[in-house]
Amino acid sequence: MTTANTLLKPDQDRQPAAPAIDTRALRNAMGNFATGVTVVTAPGEGDAMVGITANSFSSLSLDPPLILWSLSLNSPSLAAFQEGLPFAINVLCQGQEALAMQFARASDNKFSEVEYRLNQRQVPLLANTLAQFECEVEFTRCLGDHLLIVGRVQEFRCDQGEPMLFFKGQFNALEARCA
């Protein structure tokens, strides 16, 4: 019987790194996997708030309720995602492309003219999103050029609507098809 422990090997048993690959070509190939689009929000230092557009979001576990996402190690927002700190995943819906772009760009005030409310832990929750997951950072790990962030879901909500998708470097919508 195979168990999770037999599948994992200590770092010293790993093979040497493969030859360098073309990262642009790899990014283009990975772009063939359609993803949803989220804005991750958190309290920042002082009265500041953090907001980042991310498509690296994924469900991890139902029991316990865990999600995961990743953030570039070059991000100026890394400090907001340390173990034990609160954050939220705001799942965007079709028609929120401008909101996604606002949080994707560097800005001193990404929340300008954005409708939101603060939860009990001062996490901004964006209005009119398809779903929200209020979380606490359970675990982080530096892997490659990103910080892997595992969050424990503490509250969630979802609404009706169609998701915004990201595919081949562009925002997209679902296309209904009949058999």
Side-chain angles (χ1 to χ4, degrees), residues 101-113:
M101 292 308 298
Q102 183 164 338
F103 285 97
R105 296 184 187 107
S107 170
D108 289 337
N109 188 1
K110 292 184 178 187
F111 289 84
S112 177
E113 299 184 33

Side-chain angles (χ1 to χ4, degrees), residues 39-62:
V39 172
V40 184
T41 55
E45 293 183 20
D47 290 337
M49 296 182 290
V50 172
I52 304 160
T53 299
N55 68 336
S56 61
F57 169 74
S58 179
S59 169
L60 179 60
S61 171
L62 295 175

Side-chain angles (χ1 to χ4, degrees), residues 137-155:
V137 177
E138 179 87 6
F139 171 82
T140 63
R141 175 111 187 241
C142 289
L143 294 169
D145 58 2
H146 277 66
L147 180 68
L148 177 70
I149 301 163
V150 174
R152 182 178 291 262
V153 178
Q154 297 175 327
E155 299 282 336

Side-chain angles (χ1 to χ4, degrees), residues 123-139:
V123 176
L125 302 174
L126 304 183
N128 306 313
T129 58
L130 192 57
Q132 285 176 330
F133 301 90
E134 297 177 51
C135 305
E136 182 173 289
V137 177
E138 179 87 6
F139 171 82

Side-chain angles (χ1 to χ4, degrees), residues 2-172:
T2 302
T3 65
N5 289 338
T6 62
L7 297 175
L8 301 174
K9 292 184 177 181
D11 288 339
Q12 65 266 22
D13 291 344
R14 294 192 182 171
Q15 297 295 320
I21 61 174
D22 180 344
T23 57
R24 181 76 245 172
L26 177 61
R27 184 181 183 121
N28 291 342
M30 288 185 178
N32 284 299
F33 180 69
T35 65
V37 181
T38 69
V39 172
V40 184
T41 55
E45 293 183 20
D47 290 337
M49 296 182 290
V50 172
I52 304 160
T53 299
N55 68 336
S56 61
F57 169 74
S58 179
S59 169
L60 179 60
S61 171
L62 295 175
D63 187 18
L66 301 172
I67 57 90
L68 65 86
W69 69 286
S70 63
L71 179 63
S72 171
L73 291 174
N74 295 323
S75 172
S77 302
L78 276 176
F81 301 102
Q82 301 304 309
E83 290 182 17
L85 294 180
F87 70 96
I89 302 286
N90 300 271
V91 179
L92 301 187
C93 53
Q94 286 180 18
Q96 293 184 311
E97 291 83 358
L99 186 63
M101 292 308 298
Q102 183 164 338
F103 285 97
R105 296 184 187 107
S107 170
D108 289 337
N109 188 1
K110 292 184 178 187
F111 289 84
S112 177
E113 299 184 33
V114 171
E115 189 178 343
Y116 67 92
R117 69 176 179 82
L118 297 176
N119 72 5
Q120 294 175 346
R121 295 191 67 189
Q122 302 306 298
V123 176
L125 302 174
L126 304 183
N128 306 313
T129 58
L130 192 57
Q132 285 176 330
F133 301 90
E134 297 177 51
C135 305
E136 182 173 289
V137 177
E138 179 87 6
F139 171 82
T140 63
R141 175 111 187 241
C142 289
L143 294 169
D145 58 2
H146 277 66
L147 180 68
L148 177 70
I149 301 163
V150 174
R152 182 178 291 262
V153 178
Q154 297 175 327
E155 299 282 336
F156 69 94
R157 69 150 196 85
C158 59
D159 286 326
Q160 297 294 314
E162 296 297 323
M164 179 189 304
L165 298 179
F166 194 70
F167 178 68
K168 291 190 175 185
Q170 297 180 4
F171 295 120
N172 287 273

